[in-house]
Amino acid sequence: MGNLRRFKLFNAIGLNSMLGRTAAFALALILATVMVAWIADRKVGGAADINAANQSERVRINHDVRELSNLLWHTETQFQRYMIEPNASLRALITTAVDDMITRSDMLIRDPWVVQNEAVRQATQQVVQGARTLKSKLEAIMDIRADPLKVFPAMSLMVNKLLPLNAEFLSAATLGVREAEDSVSDPEQRRIGMLFGETRYLWSQRINTFRVFATIRLGMFSSSVESTISATTLDIDVFGQQLKRNLEQLRALDAQGKLGLQQSEAFAELNRVFRAWNIGFDEMKSTLMIKDRWRRDIPMLRDDIQPHFILLAETLRKIETAVEQRATEDIGATTEVANQLSASLWLLTVVVVVATVLGVVYFEFQIRRPMTRVAQALKAEAAGEKNIALPDSSIQEARDLVSAFDDMRAQVRARQEEVQSREQRLRAIMDNTAEGIVTFDVRGRVESWNQAVLQLFGWNETEIAGMAFAQLIAAVTIHEGERAAGQGEFAVADYVGRETEVMGCHRNNTRFPLAMKVSRMVLAGETKYTALLANITERKALMENLRKMAEHDGLTGLFNRSYFQAELERAVERAKRSAKVQCALMYIDLDNFKYLNDTLGHAAGDRLLVEVARMLNSRSRRSDIVARLGGDEFTVLLNDIDVEMIRATAESFRHQLADYVFHYEGKTVDIGCSIGVSMIGAHTTSAGQVMSEADVACHFAKRGGRNRVHLFTADNAADVRTMSIDMGWSHRIKQALEHNRFVLVAQPVVETRTRATTGYEILIRMRDDSPHVNATRGGDEDSALIMPSGFLAAAERFGLITDIDAWVIEHAVRHLAHRRRGGDLVSYSINLSGHSLTAPKIAQIIPRMLTETGLAPSALTFEVTETAAIADMGLAAAFLSKLRALGCHTALDDFGVGMSSLAYLRDLPVDAVKIDGRFVKKLETSPIDQAMVRAMNDIAHALGKTTIAEFVENEAIFQYLIDLGVDYGQGYHLGKPERIDLDFLTVAAVLPGSQQGNNR
């Protein structure tokens, strides 16, 4: 009666099911967990608030100190930039940064935390005072640096005294020369005029040497500079002695009354200026030669500015250290919180352990035991027993399981009859299946089969029953430790669950390939195996033929790229696993294949490839793999070979191909090859790396002159990326030459005295015909041009630069001839690379184009860069002399970039000198550049050469060039490059960009 009341109570509150009891248990566990968590939260909360407040305070102070450090670094960086190139904007940035430092440090010193910390407060006060002191010192040195006359005390003496004396001396000497020219019939006057002219020339040489002296001294003070200054001072004294001798001769002539009136006055002026200039030079020399007097800003930087920056940085680091020490004060509070949290976790662990034990006990008596009894009832039912007792449980799910068991038992008995009929249908299906199906036991005895098995092996049903499965399959053993009657062994476990190719044994002792798949099953407690067998004779023959076609090259019979790539990957993996394994890859490229293909045709090329393949096979070992990658490219994978052997082996391959002469239809062609070699060892990372290294090595062999072997080394690794990029550019350049994708543009050269355009410099561009470029730029042809800096370097490395020069010469000469026939009498300047100085092609094309077009040679000027000229002075002089012999003009481009430009200018047969643009573009603001341009212009004029200045970008620069006497100017201010229509139809302006970089 009590149990019934309890059962009803459980039903009322939902505890009669497994779900309800599990929910009640989970609810109790959750309540216990929440209580423990609440206790831990109360203890941790207070300490977390304190720690958060302290952390916020440290973050704020650290942020202010980092901002001050950043401002200090920013001030020092901008100040360094200002000292290199002073300007108003940098000075404003420096002043603003220092003011911001002062403002922020004032705010920091008033912070409550800083006020409470005496050490930090004193350090912050030092930052405030140091920033204010630094500001005053920076303003003082920036005032000095902004004025070169203040920086260099000797500069004022040069500008205000020596420069005017120079002009007076030259004017007096010129006056004496002109009076002599008026009496040219008088032999005495001619001699006097030559004496005045020589005096003027010696003075110019002395002034130019003095300019070099001043330019050198404006650098850093060192022993090498002192020796150079001493040599320059000696040269100035030598010119002074020569001038003194000339003045003594003039004094004697004046005393004899042989000088004219103006000549006598000129002599007196020359004598006065000479003495005054010597006094000024001695004064300037005494200033420049004292280490601490020649510049005022260096001592200030060393003694005042840099120590202040260091002091401020150290003080800021002290503040950061003090702030970080505050963090240690929170460690005690954090430790206490951790102890409390640990105690709470232990309490929660005890609760969970107790709940787990209770749950296990509940599961054992309320769930597992009733389920076990149901399982036993299922086994008894399967054994055919009747009247099986089932458990009575208070859990709803257990009662549902017992009810389901009763329903299942009724259904199973109803379906037994249906299973028997299905077995009959299955047997019929098996007998009509094309594949053979055999069932055998663990001893390998055949138990069942279908008709296809009898047809495959030729046995009848009486003979095959109980036969050992090993008699059907060659060399098999059915189970571990058990052998069949056949020969050999066959482990069934190796074949279960996968399809395998085996050999079948026919009754007449013939064998044939079979596809076999074995599956394992357990019937009535016994292990059985089922084998599915299919005759694959035809399929195997077809696959073998397909495999051979897939692995070999159709023309030569060698292995193809895909097979070779797989073998190469396997070789790399073997080398990685063992340091003793070392292989090599030879990349072979035929040198004259393209020539043979173009001259004798593709049939001859195919025949050559077949013969080369035969030679490579005969030379290689059985273990080597020879493949054709495509075209005239072959590879050989050499196994078990070291570095010492590979060189001799590669040379033997090269010798065999170099000695071979190809005969075809009465013609003979020498066939050589370039071989790149890459070693494969434990250091190799991938097959792609090996192929890349061998390809690059082959390119090095070709670049070195072809018909040679190059072994890839670590020194070549840095060139791999450059080579891969250059190879793409090489292809594009060849395509541009073949399809006329180059464009010529012309930039005017203007005479400074008349502003008249007398000629043009011819520059080159490349069309970018890629579809995505044209789509992005809306079809604008001018915006799709590639500048010379993008392709000329690659052209030089791949030996294509002379082809580009030839293309430019041919098209520029034809266009100029057409233009002059129309009455436009202008001239063109064409750039030549250093490689063209030795190229017979260039030496032949220039006279040929002049003859074809009838163009006057004087209309052409050929420019050679200073760097190319000084690389081989004899070669450059000989080539330029040939051009002048044809009647063409010559020019030296980028003059001034070399270390000894003035020294070799006299020896080069050039008509014009192009002053490098780096001396011109800052001419209006740089006194040093003005002095350099003036010196180069004077020397060039003294040698009878005209001068051209590049990079004329505004009117102020052009006016300086006029004042300095430069003959011609070139730059965007005078005229941008204009595109030449090589069909002689229109001339369209191109976008800016040609002036910078290499103007080719």
Side-chain angles (χ1 to χ4, degrees):
M1 188 68 178
N3 291 336
L4 180 61
R5 285 197 299 268
R6 184 177 59 184
F7 183 76
K8 291 181 179 180
L9 177 62
F10 280 9
N11 286 340
I13 62 176
L15 295 180
N16 62 326
S17 67
M18 187 185 300
L19 176 62
R21 297 179 184 182
T22 304
F25 179 77
L27 179 60
L29 183 61
I30 291 172
L31 290 175
T33 304
V34 170
M35 181 177 294
V36 173
W38 178 79
I39 295 172
D41 180 70
R42 289 295 302 272
K43 292 182 178 181
V44 172
D49 293 339
I50 296 173
N51 189 48
N54 293 340
Q55 179 68 19
S56 175
E57 185 178 79
R58 288 197 302 273
V59 168
R60 177 170 49 78
I61 298 298
N62 278 330
H63 176 268
D64 291 342
V65 174
R66 282 196 299 270
E67 287 295 325
L68 286 172
S69 298
N70 291 336
L71 284 172
L72 181 63
W73 173 84
H74 180 70
T75 302
E76 187 173 5
T77 302
Q78 298 301 326
F79 173 68
Q80 292 172 356
R81 290 181 56 196
Y82 181 88
M83 294 302 293
I84 296 173
E85 186 177 359
N87 58 70
S89 59
L90 284 177
R91 180 166 184 168
L93 287 175
I94 294 169
T95 304
T96 303
V98 176
D99 290 340
D100 199 3
M101 282 183 60
I102 296 172
T103 302
R104 288 180 178 272
S105 56
D106 282 337
M107 295 173 59
L108 181 62
I109 203 172
R110 291 193 295 269
D111 187 273
W113 186 87
V114 175
V115 172
Q116 296 172 4
N117 193 320
E118 180 63 23
V120 176
R121 188 183 62 78
Q122 291 179 0
T124 307
Q125 184 63 38
Q126 291 178 7
V127 173
V128 176
Q129 295 173 356
R132 289 173 178 167
T133 305
L134 179 63
K135 178 180 179 182
S136 63
K137 292 184 178 296
L138 287 177
E139 289 177 348
I141 195 171
M142 287 190 292
D143 287 338
I144 293 174
R145 187 63 182 87
D147 187 356
L149 296 181
K150 293 181 180 179
V151 177
F152 304 103
M155 183 69 73
S156 175
L157 182 61
M158 291 171 57
V159 174
N160 299 327
K161 184 174 181 179
L162 297 184
L163 185 61
L165 288 175
N166 175 45
E168 293 173 6
F169 193 96
L170 291 175
S171 298
T174 303
L175 184 64
V177 171
R178 289 179 179 173
E179 185 171 2
E181 290 174 351
D182 293 339
S183 303
V184 69
S185 59
D186 186 359
E188 188 68 28
Q189 279 297 321
R190 285 199 301 271
R191 187 171 70 85
I192 293 172
M194 291 177 62
L195 187 58
F196 270 104
E198 182 183 355
T199 301
R200 180 175 60 181
Y201 175 75
L202 288 173
W203 178 262
S204 297
Q205 293 292 90
R206 192 185 194 202
I207 292 302
N208 286 335
T209 306
F210 167 72
R211 289 171 178 162
V212 174
F213 166 80
T215 303
I216 293 173
R217 190 58 193 93
L218 291 181
M220 294 302 294
F221 193 93
S222 66
S223 58
S224 59
V225 173
E226 288 179 335
S227 62
T228 306
I229 289 177
S230 299
T232 310
T233 305
L234 181 60
D235 291 342
I236 293 173
D237 292 340
V238 170
F239 284 125
Q241 293 297 326
Q242 294 176 357
L243 283 168
K244 188 174 181 181
R245 287 195 295 270
N246 284 14
L247 291 176
E248 289 297 331
Q249 294 180 29
L250 290 174
R251 185 188 305 278
L253 292 172
D254 187 34
Q256 297 171 10
K258 295 181 180 181
L259 299 182
L261 180 60
Q262 292 182 349
Q263 291 174 339
S264 179
E265 294 177 355
F267 161 70
E269 183 68 10
L270 290 177
N271 202 34
R272 179 190 66 80
V273 171
F274 179 74
R275 291 194 301 271
W277 194 91
N278 286 339
I279 295 171
F281 173 69
D282 291 338
E283 181 181 351
M284 177 180 172
K285 184 169 65 174
S286 65
T287 301
L288 290 177
M289 292 307 292
I290 298 177
K291 183 174 181 180
D292 289 333
R293 286 184 55 190
W294 68 282
R295 289 189 68 152
R296 293 180 57 195
D297 53 352
I298 298 300
M300 295 182 67
L301 279 171
R302 182 183 62 244
D303 301 332
D304 293 335
I305 303 301
Q306 193 61 32
H308 271 82
F309 277 117
I310 296 173
L311 179 61
L312 285 173
E314 291 177 350
T315 305
L316 290 173
R317 281 195 294 271
K318 290 179 181 178
I319 297 175
E320 289 181 343
T321 303
V323 172
E324 290 303 324
Q325 289 176 352
R326 180 64 179 270
T328 59
E329 298 177 3
D330 296 332
I331 295 177
T334 305
T335 303
E336 180 64 24
V337 171
N339 293 333
Q340 295 176 358
L341 183 59
S342 177
S344 301
L345 290 175
W346 276 111
L347 177 60
L348 180 61
T349 301
V350 171
V351 172
V352 171
V353 169
V354 172
T356 302
V357 172
L358 293 176
V360 170
V361 174
Y362 172 80
F363 178 82
E364 172 65 21
F365 289 95
Q366 297 294 324
I367 299 175
R368 194 192 69 79
R369 291 188 180 185
M371 295 299 106
T372 301
R373 292 185 61 187
V374 173
Q376 292 172 352
L378 285 172
K379 292 180 180 179
E381 178 65 26
E385 297 181 10
K386 305 295 183 182
N387 302 321
I388 302 169
L390 295 174
D392 184 16
S393 174
S394 62
I395 299 177
Q396 182 64 41
E397 287 82 357
R399 293 198 301 271
D400 293 341
L401 182 61
V402 171
S403 176
F405 175 78
D406 288 335
D407 294 340
M408 179 200 68
R409 179 166 48 188
Q411 293 179 10
V412 167
R413 292 174 180 176
R415 291 178 182 176
Q416 286 178 348
E417 297 178 0
E418 182 180 354
V419 169
Q420 294 176 356
S421 62
R422 288 182 178 179
E423 288 180 353
Q424 295 176 355
R425 290 196 298 271
L426 180 60
R427 183 65 186 177
I429 292 173
M430 288 182 59
D431 287 340
N432 290 279
T433 301
E435 290 80 8
I437 302 175
V438 179
T439 302
F440 52 92
D441 58 16
V442 294
R443 296 178 301 166
R445 298 297 176 179
V446 176
E447 294 185 348
S448 64
W449 59 90
N450 63 354
Q451 291 297 318
V453 172
L454 303 179
Q455 296 174 5
L456 280 174
F457 298 99
W459 303 95
N460 57 41
E461 293 187 359
T462 304
E463 294 169 332
I464 200 172
M467 181 183 290
F469 186 70
Q471 290 183 255
L472 304 179
I473 304 299
V476 298
T477 288
I478 301 309
H479 194 65
E480 296 180 2
E482 299 184 24
R483 295 182 177 274
Q487 299 176 350
E489 296 185 355
F490 173 71
V492 174
D494 295 337
Y495 296 89
V496 172
R498 62 188 181 92
E499 183 173 331
T500 310
E501 181 180 329
V502 297
M503 295 301 295
C505 300
H506 198 270
R507 183 179 183 182
N508 59 10
N509 294 325
T510 61
R511 295 191 176 188
F512 55 94
L514 286 174
M516 180 180 72
K517 186 173 183 179
V518 179
S519 59
R520 181 179 180 275
M521 57 185 175
V522 178
L523 296 177
E526 295 184 7
T527 300
K528 306 290 183 181
Y529 295 96
T530 300
L532 183 64
L533 306 171
N535 192 333
I536 58 171
T537 302
E538 295 182 0
R539 186 178 75 180
K540 186 174 177 62
L542 176 61
M543 293 301 295
E544 180 65 22
N545 186 44
L546 291 176
R547 183 191 64 78
K548 185 175 181 180
M549 293 175 61
E551 293 178 351
H552 291 77
D553 177 51
L555 175 64
T556 62
L558 299 176
F559 289 113
N560 57 17
R561 178 187 290 270
S562 60
Y563 180 84
F564 182 80
Q565 186 69 26
E567 289 296 322
L568 179 60
E569 290 175 357
R570 282 192 281 272
V572 171
E573 290 302 320
R574 288 198 304 272
K576 287 181 180 179
R577 290 193 296 268
S578 173
K580 297 181 180 179
V581 176
Q582 195 168 24
C583 308
L585 171 63
M586 290 197 311
Y587 192 102
I588 304 174
D589 194 339
L590 303 183
D591 289 338
N592 295 326
F593 182 74
K594 185 177 184 302
Y595 168 78
L596 183 143
N597 240 9
D598 294 341
T599 56
L600 301 182
H602 292 285
D606 291 346
R607 178 177 162 187
L608 172 65
L609 292 175
V610 173
E611 295 189 12
V612 169
R614 177 181 53 78
M615 286 188 288
L616 294 178
N617 262 333
S618 65
R619 174 65 61 179
S620 61
R621 303 170 300 179
R622 277 179 169 269
S623 60
D624 299 336
I625 297 176
V626 184
R628 179 191 175 207
L629 297 187
D632 60 337
E633 299 172 346
F634 298 86
T635 53
V636 181
L637 179 59
L638 302 166
N639 293 301
D640 300 325
I641 192 167
D642 54 21
V643 179
E644 289 73 16
M645 293 178 57
I646 187 59
R647 294 185 183 274
T649 303
E651 282 295 335
S652 69
F653 277 87
R654 185 191 66 79
H655 275 299
Q656 185 178 21
L657 291 178
D659 297 339
Y660 171 70
V661 179
F662 178 68
H663 299 276
Y664 186 80
E665 295 183 354
K667 299 179 181 179
T668 60
V669 179
D670 292 330
I671 301 299
C673 69
S674 299
I675 302 179
V677 182
S678 175
M679 297 304 299
I680 304 173
H683 65 280
T684 306
T685 59
S686 66
Q689 174 196 351
V690 179
M691 286 293 292
S692 175
E693 291 177 354
D695 191 10
V696 169
C698 185
H699 279 284
F700 276 111
K702 284 183 174 293
R703 186 187 296 182
R706 300 177 182 269
N707 193 27
R708 62 185 59 208
V709 175
H710 184 90
L711 176 63
F712 187 90
T713 63
D715 296 336
N716 303 139
D719 297 326
V720 172
R721 175 173 171 79
T722 303
M723 177 71 73
S724 61
I725 296 172
D726 285 354
M727 287 167 60
W729 274 112
S730 172
H731 177 72
R732 295 182 68 178
I733 293 170
K734 290 178 182 178
Q735 291 292 318
L737 288 169
E738 292 175 5
H739 302 289
N740 282 328
R741 292 178 183 165
F742 284 113
V743 173
L744 294 182
V745 296
Q747 186 173 23
V749 179
V750 177
E751 188 175 5
T752 55
R753 290 177 296 176
T754 62
R755 284 185 178 266
T757 299
T758 59
Y760 296 87
E761 180 179 3
I762 301 302
L763 312 172
I764 191 172
R765 308 285 184 267
M766 180 193 288
R767 290 193 186 97
D768 191 349
D769 292 337
S770 53
H772 72 278
V773 172
N774 293 330
T776 356
R777 298 178 177 174
D780 184 359
E781 294 185 1
D782 294 335
S783 63
L785 295 179
I786 302 174
M787 304 308 294
S789 57
F791 58 87
L792 283 187
E796 289 185 354
R797 285 191 288 270
F798 276 84
L800 298 174
I801 190 66
T802 55
D803 295 332
I804 294 177
D805 284 350
W807 190 94
V808 172
I809 292 171
E810 179 177 352
H811 289 77
V813 170
R814 291 188 187 280
H815 185 271
L816 180 59
H818 173 81
R819 190 169 178 177
R820 288 175 72 92
R821 284 194 295 269
D824 190 1
L825 301 179
V826 296
S827 61
Y828 279 176
S829 294
I830 301 175
N831 290 279
L832 294 178
S833 66
H835 296 273
S836 295
L837 301 181
T838 58
K841 181 177 183 179
I842 301 301
Q844 296 168 3
I845 194 174
I846 294 174
R848 177 173 62 82
M849 291 305 303
L850 291 173
T851 303
E852 286 183 9
T853 60
L855 179 67
S858 59
L860 288 177
T861 298
F862 290 96
E863 300 181 9
V864 179
T865 62
E866 176 185 323
T867 307
I870 65 176
D872 192 332
M873 285 287 295
L875 188 64
F879 184 81
L880 294 173
S881 297
K882 291 179 182 179
L883 293 179
R884 296 183 76 181
L886 291 174
C888 301
H889 295 292
T890 57
L892 187 63
D893 197 6
D894 298 337
F895 182 70
V897 297
M899 296 300 294
S900 56
S901 302
L902 299 177
Y904 58 75
L905 179 61
R906 179 175 53 190
D907 301 326
L908 285 174
V910 294
D911 302 300
V913 172
K914 298 192 75 171
I915 301 172
D916 188 73
R918 71 187 70 183
F919 300 107
V920 179
K921 61 183 179 181
K922 295 183 180 180
L923 193 61
E924 58 181 322
T925 59
S926 174
I928 295 176
D929 287 342
Q930 294 170 13
M932 294 295 291
V933 172
R934 181 184 293 108
M936 287 187 280
N937 185 66
D938 291 345
I939 294 299
H941 283 172
L943 295 174
K945 306 179 189 302
T946 59
T947 53
I948 305 169
E950 300 178 308
F951 282 71
V952 181
E953 298 180 347
N954 54 53
E955 183 62 26
I957 294 176
F958 190 63
Q959 289 299 326
Y960 267 104
L961 295 176
I962 295 175
D963 296 339
L964 294 175
V966 177
D967 300 313
Y968 297 94
Q970 180 182 349
Y972 272 23
H973 176 65
L974 303 175
K976 297 181 179 179
E978 295 182 341
R979 182 168 174 175
I980 294 177
D981 189 340
L982 296 180
D983 294 329
F984 314 132
L985 297 176
T986 59
V987 178
V990 300
L991 292 177
S994 65
Q995 192 172 359
Q996 307 299 329
N998 190 340
N999 287 338
R1000 181 166 296 282

